[in-house]
Every structure is written in structure tokens, then in C-alpha cells.
């Protein structure tokens, strides 16, 4: 199990919500909800302010247009000649916050009343019929302050001069509009904050209640001692099914490892019992009769039994490695050329073949024969096949290792011209501790079982056949190579 990352390497948010460095699912769930809720509150405030400002603009634009239309109607109904009384000017320019502006301009005579800096907007044909045109622009007031104004403009005929037209413009600052939008926002924020806080409390309660669904599973696992049975999906929430299924997979691997260990202990006890009993017998015989002949004979038997026990333990360890789950890890496989690998490995066994008076040879194609495999385990596979042939084929026999290309893959074969195996026992050659009845040569019955397990790890098939010379032929058929890179 990996250690938690140091606090300095963790994100600042996790260090904030997990100050003790221990991960908490509850705290992370709440923090993942709290941050979006805060962002949602900010977004909601912006949307509320935009909506309030839009509404304030609509109301003020309508009032501004009404003021411009009213002034235009007053000028058109009375022959004022564009003159505005001081009292009317005060009312037109007065605003509780800020300042209002107006102007009355003649098409022929220019400005008649109001602010000269206020420029009327270009009017369409509809505006000439009395409909106001609204616009937004920047003007400079007499105090030289830059202000943004919203104006409504309407055009009416000049009663004193029928050939002339008057343009009436009413304008105001945007201060009141923004002020009203801010007031609406301030009124809505508390209600929104209360709503979000209520949602957060409900989420907190929901997370707490939801995590309680894990209590039965926790209690069930805590009640176990050495039980590695699968957890199952009965009372497991859907969200953590991947976790429990991963744990079930781990339990399955642990059961396999425990079964492998128990099998190894049982096999070791079974196979080492006879050599150890023989050692004890010959030691007691040497102690009972200390004569040189008896001691020498006992030492010869002890040496032979020790070699047998050593070979048995080596074979048991090899079988355990072949059955280990780690052996099936495809990450250790690489692209191997059997036509190059097999002759190299056979060269290491030449001295053993000479000592056993066996003619050891090789047959294979000139070109490469690629498979996906692990070099070390394939060496152990070939060594066990060669050992089996050297031990049981007999002296002056011929053993041939071959490599060939077959449909859908590659074939590694080891063939001898020894006494062979009766057809009734060929199918049992891959079983642990199986030895063909009637064979007098010493052996553990594990060599071909190791070959069988290593072949299974490589997704290969093992075939036990009678050779053309009357002996035994073992074929290992590997699937086609799938990797695309040669790993040295």
C-alpha cells in the first residue's frame, strides 16, 4: 500500500480540508460540493444584478422617453419660441441623485435652450412622427467631468416657423439605474445565501446517511478472521462495487497463493520423507557397525539420497515458481527468436549429454521464429525436457530438439529414441508426481509438470506423442507473436 503524499506535495485545497494528512471521503465530498455552491452563489449574484440592471434600464428609459415627449408636447402646444422658464428648467434638471440634462435645438437657429454639450441622436423617420429614439453616449458636463448619459430625443415642428423643426433631447446619468440594481442585488443575496446554506446542510446530512450504508459491509468484513471468501454484491452500494470486486480479486489471488504454499508443503513432505528416512537408516547402520566397509557403503547411500533430496527440492521450487501468479505477468515477456534461443540453450547441456552418452542435436529453420515469452522460464522448460530425455532415453540414445513454424504459431519439440511411454499413460505425463509404471530410473515426477505449467503461462499447448524412433516426442505449440519490439 502506497504512503500518502507529503503535505507539501498535496494540493492546497486538500491540505485545507485534510489538515492531519489523512484522507477523508466525507470531507472531500463536502468540499467538492461547497466550492461549486459558492461559485453558484457568485454566478447567481451576477445574473441577479444583470437582470435588475436590465429592469432598471427599461423603467428609466420609459420615464425618460415620457419626459422628452411631454416637453415636446408642451413646446408644440404653446408658442414659447423655445424659451423655458427658470422654474421649468429647475424641474427638468432636478434629480435626487446626480443631474438631468435637456436641450432644445432648432434646425435653422441652433440651440434654443438647455446644454450645448448635449448632442441629439440621429433620428429615423419614425422618430420624426413623435416616437423617441434612445441612445447612450459620453458627454462632458460644464464641470469637465466625463459622464455616461442615456438620452431620449424627439422632433416636433416649430410653431413660429413652419419651415423649421425643433429637436428635444432629455438625458440623465446612469447613477440611479445602477443604484437600483445594487439595491435589488443586496435584497436577494441574503435569501440566496440562506437557500444555499440550507442545501449544504441537507447535503451534509445526506452524505452522512449515505455513508452509513457502508456500515453493514464494514461489520461483515470485521467479523472475518481468516476467511478469504468473496465479499459478493448483496449489500454493496453500486458506487463501490469496483472496489469490492477488486478486493475479491485480491482475495482470489491470496487464496491461490495460500493453496500454492499448502501444496508446496504437502509435496515437500511427501517427496522428502523417503530420502530423509533413508538417510536416518544408513546413519544408524554406520553407527551400529563402524567398520570401514559398512561406513563407506552407508556414505555412498547417503550421498545418493542427498542428491535425490536436493533435486527434489529444486524441482519443487521450480514447480512453485511456474505456478506462481507473478509468472503470468506479460510485462516480463518479450519478442524471442526460438531459432536462436534453443541452440544457445542446448549448447549449455552438451557436457551433460556427453556424460550420459547421449547424442544431443538440433533441427530448425534458417530464419527466425518469433514468439512472445520469458527467456528464463523458457530455459527452465527446455532444461526439464532435456533432463527427462537424458534420464529415461538410456545410454547411446539420440535426443533431438527442434523448432518449426506451424499454422498459427511456432512449435518447440524434444524427441528421443528411447523406450518411450505406453499410449495409455501419455495423457498423464503432465501430472505432478506421476511416473510411468515399470521405470527403474530415479525421478521426482515433477519435470513434465513444470513444463506443463510454464507452457500454460505462455498460452501454449503441450502434446505428448510417440516418436518415429519409438521413444517420446514432446511438442510445445506457442501462439503467434503479438509484441512489436525486440527486448534484449
Amino acid at each position: 500500500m502506497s504512503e500518502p503524499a507529503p503535505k507539501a506535495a498535496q494540493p492546497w485545497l486538500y491540505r485545507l480540508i485534510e489538515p492531519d494528512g489523512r484522507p477523508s471521503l466525507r470531507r472531500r465530498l463536502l468540499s467538492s460540493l461547497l466550492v461549486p455552491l459558492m461559485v453558484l452563489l457568485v454566478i447567481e449574484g451576477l445574473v441577479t444584478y444583470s437582470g435588475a440592471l436590465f429592469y432598471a434600464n427599461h423603467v428609466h428609459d420609459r420615464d425618460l422617453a415620457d419626459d422628452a415627449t411631454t416637453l415636446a408636447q408642451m413646446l408644440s402646444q404653446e408658442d414659447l419660441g423655445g424659451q423655458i422658464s427658470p422654474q421649468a428648467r429647475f424641474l427638468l434638471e432636478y434629480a435626487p441623485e446626480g443631474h438631468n440634462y435637456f436641450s432644445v435645438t432648432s434646425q435653422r437657429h441652433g440651440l434654443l435652450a438647455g446644454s450645448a454639450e448635449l448632442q441629439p441622436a440621429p433620428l429615423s423617420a419614425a422618430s420624426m412622427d413623435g416616437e423617441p429614439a434612445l441612445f447612450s453616449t459620453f458627454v462632458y458636463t460644464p464641470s469637465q467631468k466625463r459622464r455616461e448619459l442615456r438620452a431620449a430625443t424627439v422632433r416636433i415642428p416649430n410653431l413660429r416657423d413652419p419651415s423649421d423643426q425643433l429637436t428635444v433631447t432629455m438625458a440623465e446619468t446612469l447613477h440611479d439605474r445602477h443604484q437600483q440594481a445594487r439595491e435589488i442585488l443586496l435584497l436577494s443575496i441574503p435569501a440566496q445565501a440562506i437557500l444555499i446554506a440550507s442545501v449544504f446542510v441537507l447535503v451534509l446530512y445526506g452524505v452522512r446517511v449515505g455513508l452509513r450504508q457502508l456500515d453493514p459491509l464494514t461489520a461483515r468484513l470485521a467479523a472475518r478472521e481468516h476467511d478469504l471468501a468473496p465479499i459478493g454484491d448483496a449489500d454493496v452500494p453500486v458506487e463501490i462495487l469496483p472496489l469490492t470486486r477488486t478486493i475479491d480479486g485480491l482475495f482470489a489471488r491470496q487464496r491461490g497463493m495460500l493453496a500454492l504454499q499448502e501444496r508446496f508443503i504437502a509435496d515437500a513432505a511427501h517427496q522428502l520423507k523417503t530420502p530423509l528416512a533413508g538417510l536416518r537408516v544408513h546413519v544408524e547402520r554406520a553407527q551400529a557397525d563402524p567398520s570401514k566397509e559398512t561406513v563407506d557403503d552407508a556414505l555412498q547411500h547417503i550421498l545418493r539420497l542427498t542428491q535425490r533430496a536436493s533435486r527434489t527440492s529444486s524441482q519443487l521450487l521450480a514447480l512453485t515458481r511456474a505456478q506462481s501468479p507473478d509468472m503470468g505477468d506479460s510485462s516480463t515477456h518479450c519478442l524471442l527468436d526460438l531459432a536462436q534461443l534453443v541452440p544457445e540453450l542446448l549448447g549449455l547441456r552438451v557436457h551433460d549429454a556427453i556424460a550420459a552418452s547421449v547424442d544431443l542435436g538440433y533441427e530448425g529453420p534458417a530464419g527466425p521464429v518469433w514468439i512472445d515469452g520469458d527467456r528464463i522460464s523458457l530455459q527452465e522448460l527446455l532444461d526439464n525436457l532435456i533432463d527427462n530425455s537424458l534420464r529415461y532415453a538410456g545410454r547411446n540414445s539420440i535426443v533431438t530438439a527442434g523448432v518449426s513454424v506451424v499454422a498459427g504459431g511456432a512449435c518447440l519439440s524434444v524427441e528421443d529414441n528411447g523406450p518411450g511411454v505406453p499410449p495409455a499413460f501419455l495423457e498423464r505425463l503432465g501430472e505432478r508426481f506421476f511416473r510411468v509404471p515399470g521405470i527403474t530410473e530415479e525421478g521426482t515426477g515433477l519435470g513434465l509438470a513444470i513444463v506443463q505449467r510454464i507452457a500454460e503461462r505462455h498460452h501454449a499447448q503441450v502434446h505428448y506423442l510417440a516418436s518415429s524412433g519409438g521413444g517420446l516426442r514432446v511438442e510445445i505449440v506457442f501462439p503467434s507473436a503479438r509484441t512489436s519490439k525486440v527486448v534484449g
Side-chain angles (χ1 to χ4, degrees):
M1 182 180 295
S2 60
E3 295 294 334
K7 290 185 179 181
Q10 294 178 345
W12 69 269
L13 181 58
Y14 287 163
R15 295 201 303 271
L16 180 63
I17 63 177
E18 298 173 358
D20 56 355
R22 296 180 61 83
S24 170
L25 181 59
R26 179 181 287 105
R27 287 198 297 264
R28 292 202 177 189
L29 282 174
L30 294 178
S31 64
S32 63
L33 292 172
L34 179 59
V35 173
L37 285 176
M38 294 299 101
V39 174
L40 182 62
L41 177 60
V42 174
I43 295 175
E44 180 66 20
L46 294 176
V47 172
T48 301
Y49 181 79
S50 300
L53 184 59
F54 176 81
Y55 176 76
N57 283 331
H58 176 72
V59 173
H60 279 261
D61 286 349
R62 185 178 58 190
D63 293 341
L64 193 62
D66 291 342
D67 292 341
T69 303
T70 301
L71 179 59
Q73 291 175 351
M74 182 180 66
L75 293 176
S76 63
Q77 292 174 2
E78 300 181 12
D79 187 11
L80 300 177
Q83 299 299 319
I84 305 296
S85 66
Q87 293 81 3
R89 176 185 293 272
F90 173 78
L91 293 176
L92 291 173
E93 294 180 347
Y94 173 77
E97 298 289 344
H99 187 79
N100 289 341
Y101 304 88
F102 77 96
S103 68
V104 180
T105 59
S106 169
Q107 186 177 7
R108 298 181 60 183
H109 305 289
L111 180 66
L112 300 180
S115 302
E117 294 86 353
L118 190 62
Q119 298 295 327
L123 297 178
S124 62
S127 299
M128 291 183 171
D129 296 333
E131 294 294 333
L134 302 179
F135 68 97
S136 179
T137 184
F138 286 101
V139 298
Y140 290 92
T141 65
S143 58
Q144 299 300 316
K145 291 183 179 180
R146 188 168 183 259
R147 296 182 179 179
E148 185 177 4
L149 302 181
R150 184 74 167 173
T153 302
V154 65
R155 182 170 294 178
I156 61 174
N158 190 343
L159 297 179
R160 288 190 174 185
D161 186 359
S163 63
D164 190 15
Q165 288 185 339
L166 299 179
T167 301
V168 179
T169 301
M170 293 292 298
E172 65 179 5
T173 63
L174 303 181
H175 178 271
D176 290 344
R177 303 165 184 249
H178 291 288
Q179 180 66 26
Q180 291 181 4
R182 286 193 294 267
E183 291 175 356
I184 296 175
L185 176 62
L186 292 176
L187 290 174
S188 65
I189 284 180
Q192 294 172 357
I194 293 174
L195 177 61
I196 290 181
S198 302
V199 171
F200 185 75
V201 171
L202 292 176
V203 169
L204 176 62
Y205 175 77
V207 169
R208 180 174 299 177
V209 172
L211 291 178
R212 288 178 184 171
Q213 295 185 11
L214 301 179
D215 292 344
L217 175 62
T218 303
R220 187 153 55 91
L221 291 177
R224 294 189 179 191
E225 293 184 359
H226 305 290
D227 185 11
L228 294 179
I231 297 174
D233 301 342
D235 57 349
V236 178
V238 176
E239 290 75 12
I240 65 169
L241 272 179
L243 175 62
T244 57
R245 289 172 179 173
T246 302
I247 295 176
D248 285 343
L250 176 62
F251 283 173
R253 291 191 294 272
Q254 291 298 319
R255 291 196 303 271
M257 292 298 298
L258 291 176
L260 190 62
Q261 292 176 2
E262 293 174 356
R263 186 182 304 168
F264 174 78
I265 294 173
D267 293 345
H270 177 269
Q271 290 298 310
L272 296 178
K273 178 174 66 175
T274 301
L276 291 176
L279 287 173
R280 179 178 180 179
V281 169
H282 290 292
V283 169
E284 292 175 349
R285 185 164 67 91
Q287 289 177 340
D289 184 6
S291 63
K292 185 177 184 305
E293 293 80 6
T294 303
V295 172
D296 289 344
D297 183 66
L299 290 177
Q300 289 294 328
H301 283 85
I302 289 174
L303 177 61
R304 180 174 56 82
L305 290 172
T306 303
Q307 292 175 343
R308 177 182 174 183
S310 176
R311 174 173 174 77
T312 300
S313 61
S314 298
Q315 292 285 78
L316 286 172
L317 290 174
L319 179 61
T320 302
R321 286 195 302 270
Q323 294 175 333
S324 173
D326 295 337
M327 186 74 177
D329 187 1
S330 60
S331 62
T332 61
H333 289 194
C334 61
L335 199 60
L336 298 174
D337 180 11
L338 282 182
Q340 179 183 2
L341 177 63
V342 173
E344 291 178 1
L345 299 181
L346 286 179
L348 302 176
R349 304 303 306 271
V350 171
H351 297 290
D352 297 331
I354 294 175
S357 299
V358 172
D359 182 8
L360 181 62
Y362 167 75
E363 293 180 355
V369 179
W370 300 105
I371 66 167
D372 289 312
D374 177 66
R375 180 185 177 93
I376 296 177
S377 59
L378 287 178
Q379 180 176 355
E380 192 166 15
L381 178 146
L382 185 59
D383 282 342
N384 279 279
L385 290 176
I386 298 300
D387 285 340
N388 189 76
S389 295
L390 295 181
R391 184 176 298 274
Y392 299 110
R395 302 181 68 85
N396 301 320
S397 61
I398 299 174
V399 177
T400 304
V403 174
S404 60
V405 178
V406 296
C411 179
L412 167 62
S413 63
V414 176
E415 181 179 2
D416 62 65
N417 61 350
V421 177
F425 300 110
L426 286 176
E427 294 183 357
R428 300 190 59 189
L429 288 182
E431 299 178 6
R432 294 182 306 124
F433 306 119
F434 174 76
R435 302 189 69 225
V436 177
I439 292 182
T440 59
E441 292 290 334
E442 293 185 355
T444 62
L446 294 175
L448 294 181
I450 295 172
V451 170
Q452 188 80 27
R453 301 302 177 269
I454 295 176
E456 291 174 357
R457 295 297 188 185
H458 286 77
H459 306 286
Q461 296 180 350
V462 184
H463 304 289
Y464 302 101
L465 310 168
S467 69
S468 57
L472 176 67
R473 177 181 174 86
V474 181
E475 295 182 349
I476 317 293
V477 180
F478 296 89
S480 300
R482 288 174 294 179
T483 55
S484 58
K485 181 179 180 181
V486 179
V487 180

